[in-house]
Amino acid sequence: MLPYKLRRGDLFLAMFLTLVLLLSLVYPVWHWLQSDAPLTAQISQNGVVIERIDLSLVKQAYEFTVWDAAGKDYNTIEVDHGRIRVKAANCAEQIDVKAGWLQKLGDMAVCLPHRLVIELISTGDPAVDSIVR
């Protein structure tokens, strides 16, 4: 026997928390199902978009190097079908290189010393931004 008698508000709170738990379990599955959308890699440096690559159109792997304005710092970017990564960089901590392959919607690689950002965005619905995702 419970020492506390359940009231109507307690039942409502329990049902509400159960609903929130179920919705939090549904979101990752929904996000995983949305990963088949065509992806575009958006590469920006100093806040300016320097290149957009439709990853579904890449047939053969290639790489290119992005240099800073002074021509001293670099990031070598490797592109393959459906994925992209920073292969090499001359920054100290190599956080962008350690990010590995970016292949899902919302994945990012950031090199703060070189002010380089690679973000995977969807080409399907431009009305939805990365915060909503």
Side-chain angles (χ1 to χ4, degrees), residues 47-77:
V48 177
V49 176
I50 57 174
E51 191 163 354
R52 286 191 176 102
I53 303 169
D54 187 344
L55 297 177
S56 64
L57 298 179
V58 176
K59 300 297 181 201
Q60 185 175 357
Y62 67 94
E63 60 184 56
F64 61 95
T65 302
V66 176
W67 295 88
D68 68 342
K72 184 177 113 178
D73 296 323
Y74 69 90
N75 296 80
T76 301
I77 299 171

Side-chain angles (χ1 to χ4, degrees), residues 75 83-89 91 93-104 106-111 116-120:
N75 296 80
R83 61 188 190 162
I84 188 170
R85 72 174 176 158
V86 178
K87 184 176 181 179
C91 55
E93 295 188 21
Q94 301 282 306
I95 293 174
D96 51 340
V97 177
K98 292 176 186 174
W101 288 104
L102 310 176
Q103 49 194 5
K104 292 184 181 176
D107 283 353
M108 293 179 79
V110 179
C111 181
L116 180 85
V117 177
I118 301 174
E119 180 181 12
L120 294 188

Side-chain angles (χ1 to χ4, degrees), residues 7-43:
R7 298 184 194 145
R8 182 177 296 165
D10 297 331
L11 293 174
F12 174 75
L13 182 62
M15 290 173 56
F16 176 75
L17 291 175
T18 302
L19 180 66
V20 168
L21 175 69
L22 289 175
L23 289 176
S24 68
L25 294 175
V26 167
Y27 176 76
V29 172
W30 175 79
H31 187 67
W32 178 72
L33 290 174
Q34 296 297 321
S35 65
D36 291 340
L39 294 176
T40 298
Q42 179 173 291
I43 304 167

